[in-house]
Amino acid sequence: MANKQQQEEKFLEIYHSLNEEQKLAVDTIEGPVLVIAGPGTGKTQILSARIGKILLETDTAPQNILCLTFTDAGVVAMRKRLISFMGSDAYKVQVHTFHSFCNMVLQENARYFNKKEIDPLSDLEKIEVMQQLIDGFENDNSLKRFKGSIYFDINNLAQLFSAIKRENWTVETLLQQIDDYSQNIIPETEGFYNKRKKAKGEFELTQKGKDEIDRMRRLKDAVHSFKKYQEILFEKKRYDYDDMINWAIRLFEEHPEVLLNYQERFQYILVDEYQDSSGSQNKIVELLISFWQDEKPNIFVVGDDDQSIYKFQGANLKNLQSFLKTFDKDLLKI
């Protein structure tokens, strides 16, 4: 009892150190809430205090709270905060990176993927798979090299495939965008056509224009090879790092009963650094809160609309804008 009292006193100590807007974010435990906060404004403290408030004022169990963040360091920092005023119950709160959460989902639903035969792809195996993919290119493939470093494009292909998975793009959409760019943007871009020839109605590409057309051809061939890469993974019964999120999405979409299980399990969902979420990560959040549909989901997101430190990893500020639009009437913005 004394330990419980000490934990409550510690929580109150943290709570009373907050300013009025931070207290409002912690106190509003029902419905959608968006907190816009820059670096060094105590976002982790707000998140942990809010979890403490939920546990103190509702009958919610720690394991029914899900907190998603972007790095393992973020998970550790959050856990330490919770331990300071929750004790061992802090380990029951589901604090995850997006990838660790999706991996948990896959592990808990192994039967849907015949998981006994499917394992994560090791770094060495990924190189072998990429080499197998390149070895299988037809001779007319612009990425096929017959001399020198024949596996020169391994890293470029790996980065492209990762981006496709993170953003949940389709091959068809990407190919259409490349065609639109080639047909509409390139002809209007300065330096891609000979000015004198163009003025006479003769469209002669400059070397810069030829290089750009060639780059688009190589990009199309790279995008086309994505499906073959996935087929090789399937044949080897392996999944790569970025597949964790997409497989979880597919599981939720194809098996509504699995999604319902997690929707009922997690009564409160908190997301840190929301502006850094990729398309596939945002899709996971959307699926988890879709249970409420026309009602008010207990979703709490923290973001900074002035920066996106993971832009190079596919992060998309549109997710913040979409969140504002989706919950326009019911959203509390702090």
Side-chain angles (χ1 to χ4, degrees), residues 24-243:
L24 179 60
V26 170
D27 291 340
T28 312
I29 59 178
E30 302 297 327
V33 179
L34 170 63
V35 174
I36 300 297
T41 53
K43 288 178 286 187
T44 302
Q45 188 175 35
I46 294 172
L47 285 161
S48 58
R50 181 180 170 86
I51 292 172
K53 187 80 168 182
I54 292 169
L55 294 174
L56 283 174
E57 296 195 355
T58 73
D59 58 0
T60 304
Q63 57 267 30
N64 296 133
I65 299 173
L66 174 64
C67 182
L68 294 170
T69 185
F70 285 84
T71 64
D72 292 329
V75 171
V76 171
M78 178 63 66
R79 190 78 69 189
K80 285 183 177 179
R81 294 265 188 179
L82 293 174
I83 290 172
S84 69
F85 61 85
M86 286 180 59
S88 60
D89 278 349
Y91 291 100
K92 298 177 183 178
V93 177
Q94 295 295 298
V95 184
H96 289 277
T97 63
F98 276 92
H99 284 91
S100 70
F101 170 72
C102 290
N103 192 48
M104 178 189 76
V105 170
L106 296 182
Q107 298 296 339
E108 290 180 348
N109 297 276
R111 63 189 184 280
Y112 290 97
F113 293 101
N114 192 18
K115 190 66 171 62
K116 289 182 179 179
E117 299 181 27
I118 299 178
D119 294 302
L121 192 71
S122 69
D123 291 340
L124 178 59
E125 286 176 318
K126 186 163 189 174
I127 293 174
E128 292 174 347
V129 167
M130 297 302 291
Q131 289 177 339
Q132 180 179 338
L133 174 70
I134 292 173
D135 288 342
F137 285 164
E138 299 292 337
N139 288 343
D140 61 350
N141 190 310
S142 62
L143 301 177
K144 183 83 170 183
R145 294 172 181 266
F146 298 95
K147 58 182 180 179
S149 179
I150 61 175
Y151 301 124
F152 176 83
D153 288 304
I154 280 184
N155 288 336
N156 291 332
L157 287 169
Q159 290 174 10
L160 172 65
F161 296 164
S162 180
I164 290 174
K165 293 179 182 184
R166 287 197 315 271
E167 292 302 335
N168 205 22
W169 290 328
T170 66
V171 167
E172 291 72 23
T173 297
L174 285 176
L175 292 175
Q176 184 60 55
Q177 289 179 340
I178 294 169
D179 285 340
D180 289 345
Y181 173 76
S182 299
Q183 295 167 15
N184 301 316
I185 306 300
I186 289 179
E188 301 299 326
T189 301
E190 184 74 21
F192 284 165
Y193 282 86
N194 185 303
K195 285 185 177 180
R196 292 182 180 178
K197 294 278 187 179
K198 191 175 181 180
K200 297 178 181 180
E202 302 174 14
F203 293 90
E204 180 183 80
L205 283 165
T206 62
Q207 187 58 49
K208 182 179 179 181
K210 292 177 182 178
D211 290 343
E212 187 68 359
I213 290 292
D214 183 63
R215 190 172 74 88
M216 289 302 103
R217 184 165 65 92
R218 291 169 59 78
L219 180 57
K220 285 188 72 171
D221 283 343
V223 171
H224 273 298
S225 67
F226 174 72
K227 289 184 177 180
K228 181 60 180 178
Y229 170 73
Q230 291 296 90
E231 288 174 6
I232 296 174
L233 290 186
F234 183 79
E235 290 169 2
K236 293 181 176 293
K237 300 190 182 299
R238 294 287 188 271
Y239 64 88
D240 67 17
Y241 182 75
D242 293 299
D243 277 324

Side-chain angles (χ1 to χ4, degrees), residues 254-276:
E254 295 180 358
H255 302 279
E257 71 281 4
V258 176
L259 174 59
L260 183 60
N261 173 46
Y262 291 95
Q263 289 173 330
E264 292 180 337
R265 183 188 304 184
F266 299 120
Q267 298 169 24
Y268 292 89
I269 299 173
L270 304 89
V271 186
D272 193 14
E273 302 292 358
Y274 192 68
Q275 82 282 348
D276 289 328

